[in-house]
Amino acid sequence: MSISSRSMASKTQVGFVGLGNMGSPMAKNLLKHGYPVIATDVFPESCKELQELGAQILDSPAEVADKADRIITMLPSSPNVIEVYTGPNGILKKVKKGSLLIDSSTIDPAVSKEMALAAEKMGAVFMDAPVSGGVGAASSGKLTFMVGGVEEEFTAAKELLSCMGANVVYCGQVGTGQAAKICNNMLLAIGMIGTAETMNLGIRLGLDPKLLTKILNMSSGRCWSSDTYNPVPGVMEGVPSANNYQGGFGTTLMAKDLGLAQNTATNTKTPILLGSLAHQIFRMMCARGYAGKDFSSVFQFLREEEGQ
Amino acid sequence: MSISSRSMASKTQVGFVGLGNMGSPMAKNLLKHGYPVIATDVFPESCKELQELGAQILDSPAEVADKADRIITMLPSSPNVIEVYTGPNGILKKVKKGSLLIDSSTIDPAVSKEMALAAEKMGAVFMDAPVSGGVGAASSGKLTFMVGGVEEEFTAAKELLSCMGANVVYCGQVGTGQAAKICNNMLLAIGMIGTAETMNLGIRLGLDPKLLTKILNMSSGRCWSSDTYNPVPGVMEGVPSANNYQGGFGTTLMAKDLGLAQNTATNTKTPILLGSLAHQIFRMMCARGYAGKDFSSVFQFLREEEGQ
Amino acid sequence: MSISSRSMASKTQVGFVGLGNMGSPMAKNLLKHGYPVIATDVFPESCKELQELGAQILDSPAEVADKADRIITMLPSSPNVIEVYTGPNGILKKVKKGSLLIDSSTIDPAVSKEMALAAEKMGAVFMDAPVSGGVGAASSGKLTFMVGGVEEEFTAAKELLSCMGANVVYCGQVGTGQAAKICNNMLLAIGMIGTAETMNLGIRLGLDPKLLTKILNMSSGRCWSSDTYNPVPGVMEGVPSANNYQGGFGTTLMAKDLGLAQNTATNTKTPILLGSLAHQIFRMMCARGYAGKDFSSVFQFLREEEGQ
Amino acid sequence: MSISSRSMASKTQVGFVGLGNMGSPMAKNLLKHGYPVIATDVFPESCKELQELGAQILDSPAEVADKADRIITMLPSSPNVIEVYTGPNGILKKVKKGSLLIDSSTIDPAVSKEMALAAEKMGAVFMDAPVSGGVGAASSGKLTFMVGGVEEEFTAAKELLSCMGANVVYCGQVGTGQAAKICNNMLLAIGMIGTAETMNLGIRLGLDPKLLTKILNMSSGRCWSSDTYNPVPGVMEGVPSANNYQGGFGTTLMAKDLGLAQNTATNTKTPILLGSLAHQIFRMMCARGYAGKDFSSVFQFLREEEGQ
């Protein structure tokens, strides 16, 4: 039976499609754990480093699918995923029966479900497994994977994903990995803007920002954005607000994830009043010079400028 | 010198104005700690229980001020505070020089500053010391006090407040106690609505609420409303959502505090996009049958009803 | 040449797909103007009345396309349009070269563009022509059509559309008809909620609603919702607010159109702060018993209830 | 009886307090209509021009009240009004019994009510009469006055106000003039931001801005901001958007009026979701360089910048 044959075939080759900022260090971690990697990317130069480390580079997702029966994809957005799976040189053109296809991109869960259906028609299994944690966590193998798909395949997926992440959480049917990721990031966005507004108001009312942070963190206002990633310069060290909002999680990426939250909410007719407004705020920021800064720069965005 | 004379006068009588749901248990805790209490309230029946416990009951704040040089006030809103301090039978009509006046009401910090100025003209010291924690914490003496006012008087204030609270935090000049309270509750409101929206969206997308809570709490979406006071029935025990949103912190009270946040933000020209929207949401809830429920019932409010 | 042959073929048969509340009276108006109509609908009972009036009823869009080279479609939402055009029994399965396909559904302009591309591959021309005006305007032939598509075909389209509408406006390339419709309805939604909030606030501040309406309408607050479709009962006659919010434009339909606005804004990265909040408000209303009422019932929704 | 004696005393002297950008041309129009004017302002230089035109200048509001029994005040905000009426050199210090006091400032209606009570205690009558229309309308005598106060006094007030305005509307009890002004400007703000968002979205979706404006104005999206004061450069002539948003109604002033709307809504527990968000948006704009531009510059604020 195909499933057990895959499980027994551990340490046989693994396919990897998408060698960008995140995909590249993830694929390296597979190599480190002893898996032969067969990879491809639309930009040939992205493949060089991995090739030097011993990976085999092929020309298209279809060719990867022809050689490997376990494939991981890590792509920027929904259209790329659709192309890589169902396009003319896509994985499903040559996928083997019983293959395990794991998509770690952050995309609309409706697209994940479509891909799963398309894979099923070819006798393959598709799982969504988006990550939390940025490039640093990808390099150190400390990502968190939120996994959606058939429960019987979770063990097989976890075997691979645990080479690249510290936490691998099973979330439910296909698309729930994406759902969990989107939900977390929506609440994160709300908490961050809320913290920025609150700190700004407190400072205006005469409170010292460090003291206010201490009070919030011992009270019911406490949240990750106040106690771990405070957006006010001078309150914490080692966070983007201490480094002019360089590094971290870019405003553009947050706006993209909130766009997914907005779409899924619209499709499921779910009211998200704060989530929707948070989306619009990060969208405005992207248009006003904050696109490349860490999303905690919303504190700077809201703060009144001198001389006004 | 008045300050030291007061400090030395420890365990002499303490005045208390406002014996409502919060004030009454607070005054009892002063009695328990051995302070003779001289109290008053506009509703005579509110005074009975305290009288039976040994407190002396007088007819007006002015009479209390005539007998005690340390007075605590605990009142519903700004107009009451103005009346109790500066009205025709108010404290300042008979306040002794050097008296310490501590207001634990949650009011507009601008009013606290006015009261402090008025007290100063009479040679008295006014401090704002609003509390966090509800009736339960008031009874068990576990309140948190956020104190604003002259720093030299903080020790004297803390002597009394620590009979009624577990934490007494100095926040800065007059009004900063209110500011800290208002800021915390604004962020709390945002976090709660954010959590409710997120949980609702996640459930609609097929996630189990307990699992989603677990994921949020190990990730960057974590906040007090997700990990300590979850608004979704069935996720946690011992919180209002487990008890049909009875008890806890009423939606009306949250709307009141957000009204204060809104006013201070308007006065200081501070943009509070999410804070302001949160205010409007709790305001709508008050009008639609949620006034008396715990504020975490926003989850119920947002959730689509059957048959729609 | 196909285009001119069509133009000359005036009063030859016209296809019609989708005989719902809107499509049915539209098709009748084509019959009235002397066009033989060949129609179909997924619900056979929808076809009876038209059949009695002389229309020919066929089993599928494909069969309609086999017989008529000018086809109008009027469907509830994007998936229906995709099915009717590109499904296994869809129009494009049997469309004749040079056919003119006009879609009057209100859908995502991105879908209109896809359909236009698919039609072009088959040698046919697709135009989007969503309407404003409800069932009444459809019956009396007073609809407004907003038309997107190749400009050279606009005259041919107008010939048919002017049988069913009083205004036929050319908007630009394919999808701009949808864009115009979506934009108008977003601004309408904002104006209606704004009017409802304003009237409610004014009444609370002691103003007579008729007087306030008069003042707004002679001032800069004037808008269609204040001067033509006032949401406050008793201010105007002949509008839904005068009839317990029966009839008119249902909250569900407005929520649907705002969902389209939200999607197009997300896709084009356009910040719509008020538009997005308006969407969420109508979404909440749908969940709270207002789904079937006219959208001006937002006044009732916002108004505080007795006894709260 | 004092009222009739005032009425008969027409063309006797009229007091005027506050000779700023608005007050100065208003007082000139009183002079033009043959009323002797007795005026004062905190800035002596503001009085020069009026003095040259024949007005008598005094040192304080109290002195004006000592000489004139009809007084008009035009001041920037609530604290100024309180000072001018109830301050140590205020009108009420020397007001004559039966005097008519008309305040044309835009302030919190609660303050208008306080002033009316204070005036009543001195036997005088206070009315609120805020204006719509800017400096241009003040110069040409085309202002609109919205008047609140005792109805029997409206005729007397109108006699004076009609020298300075084209419309004088009686709104109801004291404070309703302010209420009408605040309500109109709140709806105006919502309509303007809505129009800006809609035009921006439409342009992004490929619509020509002039065409979109035409469509909105013949449809249900029509509002004063779309048909009279369009915020998109190039659509209309003679409006601030045609002149780099110079002139017109400054963003700061709109933010101030929305602050009043916010306060009255908070005090009356009225939910204003869009009004409140509009307030925050103009507040942000003030902080980001738009303070001095016309409020229609929100179109520019929302529009995505090049290179982002």
Side-chain angles (χ1 to χ4, degrees):
Chain A
M1 206 274 284
S2 62
I3 292 173
S4 54
S5 70
R6 255 197 286 113
S7 298
M8 292 172 59
S10 188
K11 305 279 167 164
T12 62
Q13 47 210 5
V14 174
F16 206 104
V17 181
L19 299 172
N21 290 335
M22 292 294 289
S24 196
M26 286 167 68
K28 280 187 216 166
N29 278 320
L30 281 173
L31 283 172
K32 268 190 210 163
H33 279 75
Y35 289 93
V37 170
I38 305 180
T40 192
D41 190 280
V42 283
F43 300 108
E45 61 270 37
S46 306
C47 304
K48 275 192 184 166
E49 197 187 350
L50 208 68
Q51 192 165 24
E52 285 163 12
L53 291 170
Q56 185 183 354
I57 305 300
L58 298 180
D59 281 344
S60 74
E63 291 181 36
V64 171
D66 192 37
K67 298 238 174 164
D69 63 1
R70 293 180 295 180
I71 304 176
I72 293 163
T73 54
M74 187 62 174
L75 301 156
S77 65
S78 298
N80 308 105
V81 171
I82 293 171
E83 178 72 17
V84 158
Y85 280 88
T86 65
N89 293 309
I91 288 170
L92 298 184
K93 280 282 179 286
K94 298 216 176 169
V95 72
K96 299 177 186 177
K97 290 222 168 189
S99 287
L100 177 63
L101 311 172
I102 303 174
D103 180 38
S104 285
S105 321
T106 296
I107 60 169
D108 192 319
V111 174
S112 300
K113 286 180 191 170
E114 278 176 43
M115 295 303 106
L117 272 177
E120 201 183 345
K121 282 184 191 164
M122 309 300 294
V125 172
F126 175 95
M127 303 185 92
D128 57 308
V131 303
S132 84
V135 172
S139 297
S140 60
K142 302 276 189 193
L143 293 167
T144 293
F145 288 90
M146 287 157 277
V147 185
V150 188
E151 192 159 12
E152 298 80 53
E153 297 285 359
F154 178 60
T155 308
K158 193 173 179 180
E159 181 199 320
L160 295 180
L161 297 176
S162 52
C163 303
M164 303 179 283
N167 291 296
V168 183
V169 185
Y170 181 69
C171 296
Q173 61 186 20
V174 160
T176 53
Q178 300 295 351
K181 167 84 185 278
I182 287 170
C183 283
N184 182 72
N185 282 13
M186 183 172 95
L187 187 48
L188 167 61
I190 292 169
M192 180 54 81
I193 300 176
T195 301
E197 289 184 5
T198 300
M199 294 298 298
N200 192 22
L201 179 60
I203 293 167
R204 293 291 191 83
L205 295 175
L207 287 162
D208 173 76
K210 281 194 178 182
L211 175 66
L212 176 54
T213 300
K214 191 185 129 195
I215 293 172
L216 295 174
N217 290 345
M218 60 187 267
S219 310
S220 48
R222 168 178 58 77
C223 62
W224 186 86
S225 297
S226 71
D227 71 13
T228 304
Y229 207 85
N230 201 285
V232 181
V235 167
M236 278 182 187
E237 295 187 1
V239 290
S241 64
N243 189 27
N244 201 23
Y245 303 107
Q246 300 304 305
F249 185 53
T251 299
T252 310
L253 290 170
M254 181 52 99
K256 178 208 156 195
D257 286 1
L258 289 168
L260 292 173
Q262 190 92 69
N263 284 346
T264 60
T266 298
N267 293 341
T268 57
K269 304 187 177 177
T270 308
I272 50 163
L273 290 101
L274 298 191
S276 181
L277 183 51
H279 179 208
Q280 306 303 318
I281 293 169
F282 284 115
R283 185 58 66 209
M284 273 201 297
M285 287 174 65
C286 287
R288 304 200 69 79
Y290 289 80
K293 295 190 183 189
D294 179 69
F295 78 116
S296 67
S297 62
V298 64
F299 174 75
Q300 199 181 47
F301 177 72
L302 290 173
R303 202 150 170 72
E304 223 161 300
E305 283 160 6
E306 295 301 314
Q308 304 295 344
Chain B
M1 205 275 283
S2 64
I3 292 173
S4 54
S5 71
R6 255 197 287 114
S7 297
M8 292 172 60
S10 187
K11 304 279 166 162
T12 62
Q13 45 208 6
V14 174
F16 205 105
V17 182
L19 298 172
N21 290 335
M22 292 294 289
S24 196
M26 288 167 69
K28 280 186 217 167
N29 278 321
L30 282 173
L31 283 173
K32 268 189 210 162
H33 279 76
Y35 289 94
V37 169
I38 305 180
T40 193
D41 192 279
V42 282
F43 299 108
E45 60 271 37
S46 304
C47 303
K48 275 190 183 167
E49 197 188 350
L50 210 68
Q51 194 167 23
E52 286 163 11
L53 291 169
Q56 186 183 352
I57 305 300
L58 299 179
D59 281 345
S60 73
E63 290 181 38
V64 171
D66 192 38
K67 298 239 174 161
D69 64 0
R70 295 180 293 180
I71 304 176
I72 293 163
T73 53
M74 188 62 174
L75 301 155
S77 65
S78 297
N80 308 105
V81 170
I82 293 171
E83 178 71 16
V84 158
Y85 280 89
T86 65
N89 294 307
I91 288 170
L92 298 184
K93 279 284 179 284
K94 297 217 174 170
V95 73
K96 298 176 185 178
K97 290 219 168 189
S99 286
L100 176 63
L101 311 172
I102 303 174
D103 180 38
S104 284
S105 320
T106 296
I107 60 168
D108 193 319
V111 174
S112 301
K113 286 180 191 170
E114 278 177 42
M115 294 303 105
L117 273 176
E120 201 183 346
K121 282 184 190 163
M122 309 300 294
V125 173
F126 175 94
M127 303 186 91
D128 57 307
V131 303
S132 84
V135 172
S139 298
S140 59
K142 302 278 190 194
L143 293 167
T144 293
F145 288 91
M146 289 156 275
V147 186
V150 189
E151 192 160 13
E152 298 81 52
E153 297 285 358
F154 178 61
T155 309
K158 193 174 179 179
E159 181 198 320
L160 295 179
L161 298 176
S162 52
C163 303
M164 302 178 284
N167 292 296
V168 184
V169 185
Y170 181 69
C171 295
Q173 62 187 17
V174 160
T176 53
Q178 300 295 351
K181 168 83 186 277
I182 287 170
C183 283
N184 182 71
N185 281 14
M186 183 172 94
L187 187 48
L188 167 61
I190 293 169
M192 180 54 81
I193 300 175
T195 301
E197 289 183 4
T198 300
M199 294 298 298
N200 191 23
L201 179 59
I203 293 167
R204 293 290 192 84
L205 295 175
L207 287 162
D208 172 77
K210 281 194 179 183
L211 175 66
L212 176 54
T213 300
K214 191 186 129 194
I215 292 171
L216 295 173
N217 291 346
M218 61 187 265
S219 310
S220 48
R222 169 178 57 78
C223 62
W224 186 86
S225 297
S226 72
D227 70 13
T228 303
Y229 206 86
N230 201 285
V232 181
V235 168
M236 277 183 187
E237 295 187 3
V239 290
S241 64
N243 188 28
N244 201 22
Y245 303 108
Q246 300 305 304
F249 185 53
T251 298
T252 311
L253 290 170
M254 181 51 100
K256 179 207 155 194
D257 287 1
L258 289 169
L260 292 173
Q262 189 93 69
N263 284 345
T264 59
T266 298
N267 292 340
T268 57
K269 302 185 178 178
T270 309
I272 50 163
L273 289 101
L274 297 192
S276 180
L277 183 51
H279 178 208
Q280 306 303 319
I281 293 168
F282 284 115
R283 184 59 67 208
M284 272 201 297
M285 287 174 64
C286 287
R288 305 200 67 77
Y290 290 80
K293 295 189 183 189
D294 180 69
F295 77 117
S296 67
S297 62
V298 65
F299 174 75
Q300 200 181 46
F301 178 71
L302 291 173
R303 201 147 171 73
E304 224 164 296
E305 284 161 5
E306 295 302 314
Q308 303 296 343
Chain C
M1 206 273 282
S2 62
I3 291 174
S4 55
S5 71
R6 256 197 284 115
S7 298
M8 292 172 61
S10 188
K11 305 279 167 163
T12 62
Q13 46 209 6
V14 174
F16 206 105
V17 182
L19 300 171
N21 291 334
M22 292 294 289
S24 196
M26 288 167 69
K28 280 186 216 168
N29 278 321
L30 282 173
L31 282 173
K32 269 190 211 162
H33 279 75
Y35 289 92
V37 170
I38 305 180
T40 193
D41 191 279
V42 282
F43 300 108
E45 61 270 36
S46 306
C47 304
K48 275 190 185 168
E49 197 188 350
L50 210 66
Q51 194 166 21
E52 286 162 12
L53 291 168
Q56 184 182 355
I57 305 300
L58 299 180
D59 280 346
S60 73
E63 291 180 37
V64 171
D66 193 36
K67 299 239 173 163
D69 64 0
R70 294 180 293 180
I71 304 175
I72 293 163
T73 53
M74 188 61 174
L75 302 155
S77 64
S78 299
N80 307 103
V81 171
I82 294 171
E83 178 71 16
V84 158
Y85 280 88
T86 64
N89 293 309
I91 289 170
L92 298 184
K93 279 282 179 284
K94 297 218 175 169
V95 73
K96 298 178 186 177
K97 290 221 168 187
S99 287
L100 176 61
L101 311 172
I102 303 174
D103 180 37
S104 285
S105 320
T106 296
I107 60 169
D108 192 320
V111 173
S112 301
K113 287 180 190 168
E114 277 176 42
M115 294 304 104
L117 273 175
E120 201 183 347
K121 283 184 190 162
M122 308 301 293
V125 172
F126 175 95
M127 303 187 91
D128 56 309
V131 303
S132 84
V135 172
S139 297
S140 59
K142 303 276 189 194
L143 293 167
T144 293
F145 287 90
M146 288 158 276
V147 185
V150 188
E151 192 159 14
E152 297 81 51
E153 297 285 358
F154 178 61
T155 308
K158 195 174 179 179
E159 180 199 320
L160 295 180
L161 298 176
S162 51
C163 303
M164 301 178 284
N167 292 295
V168 183
V169 186
Y170 182 68
C171 296
Q173 61 187 17
V174 160
T176 54
Q178 300 295 351
K181 168 83 185 278
I182 288 170
C183 283
N184 182 71
N185 282 12
M186 185 173 94
L187 187 48
L188 167 60
I190 292 169
M192 180 55 80
I193 300 175
T195 301
E197 290 183 3
T198 300
M199 294 299 297
N200 192 23
L201 179 60
I203 293 167
R204 294 291 191 84
L205 295 174
L207 287 162
D208 172 76
K210 281 194 179 183
L211 176 67
L212 176 54
T213 300
K214 192 185 128 194
I215 293 172
L216 295 174
N217 290 345
M218 60 186 268
S219 311
S220 49
R222 171 178 55 78
C223 62
W224 185 87
S225 297
S226 72
D227 69 15
T228 302
Y229 206 86
N230 201 285
V232 181
V235 167
M236 278 182 186
E237 294 187 3
V239 291
S241 64
N243 189 27
N244 202 22
Y245 303 108
Q246 300 305 304
F249 185 53
T251 299
T252 310
L253 291 170
M254 181 52 101
K256 178 209 156 193
D257 287 1
L258 289 168
L260 292 173
Q262 190 92 70
N263 283 346
T264 59
T266 298
N267 292 341
T268 56
K269 302 186 178 178
T270 308
I272 50 163
L273 289 100
L274 297 192
S276 180
L277 183 51
H279 178 209
Q280 305 305 317
I281 292 169
F282 284 115
R283 186 57 68 210
M284 272 201 297
M285 286 174 65
C286 286
R288 305 200 67 78
Y290 289 80
K293 295 189 182 190
D294 179 70
F295 78 117
S296 67
S297 61
V298 63
F299 174 75
Q300 199 182 48
F301 178 70
L302 290 173
R303 201 150 170 71
E304 222 162 300
E305 283 162 5
E306 296 301 314
Q308 305 296 344
Chain D
M1 207 271 285
S2 62
I3 291 174
S4 54
S5 71
R6 254 197 284 113
S7 298
M8 293 172 60
S10 190
K11 304 279 166 162
T12 62
Q13 48 209 2
V14 173
F16 205 106
V17 181
L19 299 172
N21 290 334
M22 292 294 289
S24 196
M26 287 166 68
K28 279 187 216 165
N29 279 321
L30 281 174
L31 283 172
K32 269 189 211 162
H33 278 75
Y35 289 94
V37 170
I38 306 179
T40 192
D41 191 280
V42 282
F43 299 108
E45 61 271 37
S46 306
C47 304
K48 275 191 184 168
E49 197 188 350
L50 209 69
Q51 195 167 22
E52 286 163 12
L53 291 170
Q56 185 183 353
I57 305 300
L58 299 179
D59 281 345
S60 73
E63 291 180 37
V64 170
D66 192 36
K67 299 236 173 164
D69 62 1
R70 294 180 293 180
I71 304 175
I72 292 162
T73 53
M74 188 60 176
L75 302 156
S77 65
S78 296
N80 308 104
V81 171
I82 294 171
E83 178 72 16
V84 158
Y85 280 87
T86 65
N89 293 308
I91 288 170
L92 298 185
K93 280 284 181 283
K94 298 215 173 171
V95 72
K96 298 177 186 178
K97 289 221 168 187
S99 287
L100 177 62
L101 311 173
I102 303 174
D103 180 37
S104 285
S105 321
T106 296
I107 60 170
D108 193 320
V111 173
S112 301
K113 286 179 190 170
E114 278 177 41
M115 295 303 106
L117 273 176
E120 200 183 347
K121 283 185 190 163
M122 310 301 293
V125 172
F126 175 96
M127 302 186 92
D128 57 307
V131 303
S132 83
V135 172
S139 297
S140 59
K142 302 277 191 193
L143 292 167
T144 293
F145 288 91
M146 287 157 276
V147 185
V150 189
E151 192 159 12
E152 298 81 52
E153 297 285 359
F154 177 60
T155 308
K158 194 174 178 179
E159 181 199 318
L160 296 179
L161 298 176
S162 52
C163 303
M164 303 178 284
N167 292 296
V168 184
V169 185
Y170 181 68
C171 295
Q173 61 185 21
V174 160
T176 53
Q178 301 295 350
K181 168 83 185 277
I182 287 171
C183 282
N184 182 71
N185 282 13
M186 184 173 93
L187 187 49
L188 167 60
I190 292 169
M192 180 54 82
I193 301 175
T195 302
E197 289 183 5
T198 300
M199 294 298 297
N200 191 23
L201 179 60
I203 293 167
R204 294 292 190 83
L205 294 175
L207 287 162
D208 172 77
K210 281 194 179 183
L211 176 66
L212 177 54
T213 300
K214 191 185 129 197
I215 292 171
L216 295 174
N217 291 346
M218 60 187 269
S219 311
S220 49
R222 169 178 56 78
C223 62
W224 185 87
S225 298
S226 71
D227 70 14
T228 304
Y229 206 86
N230 201 286
V232 181
V235 167
M236 279 182 186
E237 294 187 3
V239 291
S241 64
N243 188 27
N244 201 24
Y245 303 107
Q246 301 303 305
F249 185 54
T251 299
T252 309
L253 290 170
M254 182 51 101
K256 178 208 157 195
D257 287 1
L258 289 168
L260 292 173
Q262 189 93 71
N263 284 345
T264 60
T266 299
N267 292 340
T268 57
K269 302 186 177 175
T270 309
I272 50 163
L273 290 100
L274 297 192
S276 180
L277 183 50
H279 178 209
Q280 306 305 318
I281 292 169
F282 284 115
R283 186 58 66 210
M284 272 200 298
M285 286 174 65
C286 287
R288 305 200 68 78
Y290 289 80
K293 295 190 182 188
D294 179 69
F295 79 116
S296 67
S297 62
V298 64
F299 175 75
Q300 199 181 49
F301 178 71
L302 290 174
R303 203 150 168 69
E304 222 161 298
E305 284 160 5
E306 296 300 314
Q308 303 296 343

